Amino acid sequence: MTLAAGGLVLGYDFGTSAVKAALFRRDGSVVARANVAYPLSLPAPGWAEQDPSHWWAAMRDVTARVLGAANVDTGEIEAIGICAQMCGVVLVDKSGSALGKCLIWLDTRSGALARRVFGGWPNVAGYSLPNLIRWLRLTGGAPNLQGKDATSKILWLRAEDASAWEQAEKILDVKDYLVRRCTDRSVTSFDCAHLTWVFDSRAGKKHWSKVLMDRLGLKESLFPRIASATDVAGKLTPVAAFELGLAPGIPVAVGLGDVSAAALSSGAIDDGAPHLCVGTSAWLGAHIPKSKVSPLTGIGSICRADGIGYFLIAPQESAGACIKWATEALGFGRDGFAEFERSAAEANPSIEAPLFMPWLYGERVPIQDENIRGGFLNISIAHTRADMAHAVYEGVALNMRWAMTEFDRLGACAGKPLRLVGGGGGSAVWCQIFADVLQRPVELMEDSDLGGAKGSAMAASVAAGWYSDLATASAMTKVARVFAPDPTLASLYAARFARFTKAYKRVRAWYRPTAIPADKGSA
């Protein structure tokens, strides 16, 4: 395809800890980029909140930084795209103002409520059989019983924050709240709608489910309109344009969730073409033609953000979060990550090396266990900090290997190269460890750390009319480097993987709430 000269799109990626933004040309090259952090509040065990006003303040700040670095006429920006962390819940009033904090994806305060609402007898994997059948039939999955999905968060807010609930005009996800601030329109994409689990995801349906809403006592009027990620949600209002320093009237795409945006930026558009996104969390993903689910592992599919086909995903709770924790906890000095990377590179893979379990905040796939926690095993007096750094990288990869077995079966992905996007791509050591542990080529994408921003820009490029659909928009993606697996390490990592899975089975009982004996007093 021959691309016309000129034109820019602006893409945003709102993660758990920061927003990244970049201006992209039609060939996908980056004109300017910036990122701005915002707070994450953990006010009580299992609680994880963010203030929506902090996202908007960060959006203003990051936009100013990008425009300052690019030195372009804002009239050259032809569309705006936004992606964000998914499974958040924001209640907004008629003016679009947030009525409180957002319960983000990490929040599990509604876990007990989820188990009450969706559990019962006869019980299958924690769900009552009638509920499980109902949700599987209509959605191809079921709400998470640990409280991490939007469904139980919504029910918790209704029960615990009556004042906000009475004033609420809409229930929005993170991305949808920001689109509302930009356009005054309440609209969501198919992928975000699906993860409310009150969405009929069946082929030929793909709309809000009256059956499921009635079951939970919810009104469809509380939920936004559903549209393709590439549709224009609305135009940038004069008020929003003034605050962001942009020209009013710029088309704003409906946008998409972060997992969908990463899939686009990987360029793995074809069915069964897998990618790996490594950020604060991580996931394996692939587009598939039909809905698939593996209830016992938590691997399943959601609607593609454009409503065409489905997207298979195997999410892992802690990836880059493990590196951040280890960098600080193991005292890697002023250089931080750079020193951690150098140390990890010094260590050699070995059957006697330390084994790291990356479950710092529970886990979803391939085990659904909110109570499990991480740790090191097999540390001896001979091991060094370098061995521990290497083990952290390796532990995340081993957990991904555990999920990959069922993921490959469902998505017909076995043996195919993995496209890698996300901030984890900034570590060449980690990319090679992924290739060696998973024993398949890892193709690192250009500007991998801008995966979400590029994916949202790709949706915006279709909204701007640059491309006819998301498949053709993949022309904006390129492979930067390929990491080939070392076949001599195959048997070593098979043995390490066997130890890793056995470790979970042996330590999981420690972390159950009932494992702590009652205090009987001192003798």
Side-chain angles (χ1 to χ4, degrees):
M1 174 181 290
T2 302
L3 299 176
L8 301 169
V9 290
L10 178 56
Y12 295 90
D13 174 15
F14 286 81
T16 307
S17 57
V19 56
K20 296 178 182 178
L23 277 170
F24 296 89
R25 300 185 182 90
R26 297 190 180 204
D27 63 356
S29 58
V30 178
V31 176
R33 56 188 289 169
N35 65 280
V36 171
Y38 38 73
L40 168 63
S41 176
L42 303 170
W47 291 39
E49 306 175 337
Q50 287 182 321
D51 186 333
S53 68
H54 292 158
W55 302 330
W56 186 249
M59 190 171 184
R60 292 199 307 264
D61 193 357
V62 80
T63 303
R65 295 187 190 190
V66 168
L67 294 177
N71 192 28
V72 297
D73 184 340
T74 57
E76 295 180 60
I77 300 173
E78 297 187 31
I80 293 169
I82 301 172
C83 84
Q85 53 176 299
M86 303 172 76
C87 296
V89 176
V90 185
L91 301 181
V92 300
D93 62 17
K94 292 181 179 180
S95 70
S97 299
L99 292 167
K101 300 289 181 66
C102 172
L103 278 59
I104 71 164
W105 65 277
L106 273 172
D107 194 286
T108 59
R109 73 183 72 177
S110 62
L113 186 151
R115 291 186 285 275
R116 288 198 304 273
V117 171
F118 302 109
W121 187 89
N123 191 280
V124 178
Y127 299 90
S128 76
L129 185 58
N131 274 334
L132 187 59
I133 291 172
R134 181 184 294 113
W135 258 271
L136 284 173
R137 182 174 67 85
L138 296 176
T139 72
N144 176 265
L145 294 178
Q146 281 70 53
K148 291 190 175 180
D149 286 342
T151 328
S152 56
K153 292 183 175 74
I154 293 169
L155 301 179
W156 188 93
L157 286 167
R158 182 178 66 183
E160 301 295 333
D161 195 347
S163 175
W165 186 261
E166 289 172 3
Q167 298 177 67
E169 189 233 6
K170 293 294 178 187
I171 302 168
L172 301 177
D173 204 339
V174 178
K175 177 262 300 179
D176 305 327
Y177 168 81
L178 292 160
V179 169
R180 173 74 182 258
R181 288 291 300 258
C182 288
T183 67
D184 281 340
R185 304 285 180 85
S186 292
V187 58
T188 192
S189 47
F190 286 93
D191 55 341
C192 291
H194 195 157
L195 286 179
T196 63
W197 300 111
V198 289
F199 172 83
D200 190 332
S201 69
R202 293 175 293 176
K205 304 288 184 180
K206 298 186 179 179
H207 53 63
W208 296 120
S209 170
K210 185 177 186 305
V211 171
L212 297 179
M213 288 197 183
D214 286 349
R215 170 70 180 80
L216 299 175
L218 297 171
K219 297 179 181 179
E220 185 175 332
S221 60
L222 282 170
F223 292 82
R225 177 174 64 89
I226 304 170
S228 170
T230 59
D231 287 347
V232 176
K235 295 186 177 181
L236 195 65
T237 66
V239 171
F242 175 77
E243 291 194 48
L244 297 174
L246 296 171
I250 299 174
V252 180
V254 170
L256 62 176
D258 54 0
V259 297
S260 301
L264 297 184
S265 66
S266 75
I269 301 296
D270 295 337
D271 288 341
H275 77 273
L276 171 60
C277 182
V278 184
T280 300
S281 59
W283 59 81
L284 288 163
H287 292 112
I288 53 176
K290 295 181 179 180
S291 177
K292 297 284 184 70
V293 64
S294 173
L296 296 181
T297 65
I299 299 173
S301 58
I302 61 174
C303 280
R304 276 180 46 155
D306 58 3
I308 302 169
Y310 298 86
F311 178 67
L312 184 69
I313 180 168
Q316 182 170 320
E317 297 291 49
S318 300
C322 295
I323 313 308
K324 184 177 186 297
W325 168 81
T327 299
E328 297 171 357
L330 300 179
F332 277 97
R334 255 186 276 181
D335 285 339
F337 170 72
E339 187 178 343
F340 184 92
E341 177 85 347
R342 287 193 297 270
S343 292
E346 294 172 3
N348 294 314
S350 163
I351 192 64
E352 297 303 331
L355 191 67
F356 178 72
M357 296 165 291
W359 311 306
L360 300 185
Y361 205 86
E363 190 53 278
R364 293 184 70 160
V365 171
I367 49 171
Q368 298 188 64
D369 190 337
E370 66 180 316
N371 297 310
I372 191 67
R373 291 294 180 264
F376 288 97
L377 292 175
N378 202 45
I379 295 177
S380 79
I381 198 169
H383 289 134
T384 67
R385 195 169 58 159
D387 295 312
M388 296 174 74
H390 189 278
V392 174
Y393 276 150
E394 192 184 69
V396 175
L398 286 167
N399 203 59
M400 193 61 70
R401 176 168 171 161
W402 199 359
M404 194 174 71
T405 302
E406 183 68 0
F407 174 85
D408 280 349
R409 185 187 70 81
L410 293 172
C413 303
K416 296 178 181 178
L418 278 171
R419 294 282 181 91
L420 192 147
V421 294
S427 167
V429 174
W430 207 2
C431 289
Q432 187 60 56
I433 288 173
F434 274 118
D436 293 337
V437 170
L438 304 179
Q439 281 295 294
R440 59 175 56 180
V442 169
E443 299 175 343
L444 177 64
M445 301 307 292
E446 189 177 85
D447 304 312
S448 67
D449 63 321
L450 286 177
K454 179 170 280 190
S456 63
M458 290 167 68
S461 74
V462 177
W466 292 3
Y467 297 97
S468 59
D469 53 30
L470 292 174
T472 54
S474 64
M476 296 176 70
T477 68
K478 297 178 182 65
V479 175
R481 182 178 174 185
V482 177
F483 294 84
D486 183 346
T488 67
L489 295 177
S491 59
L492 168 66
Y493 278 122
R496 296 279 286 168
F497 177 66
R499 288 188 176 188
F500 182 85
T501 55
K502 287 179 182 177
Y504 168 72
K505 295 173 183 177
R506 293 183 178 181
V507 305
R508 62 183 175 180
W510 298 354
Y511 300 99
R512 294 174 185 162
T514 55
I516 303 173
D519 185 2
K520 296 180 180 179
S522 57

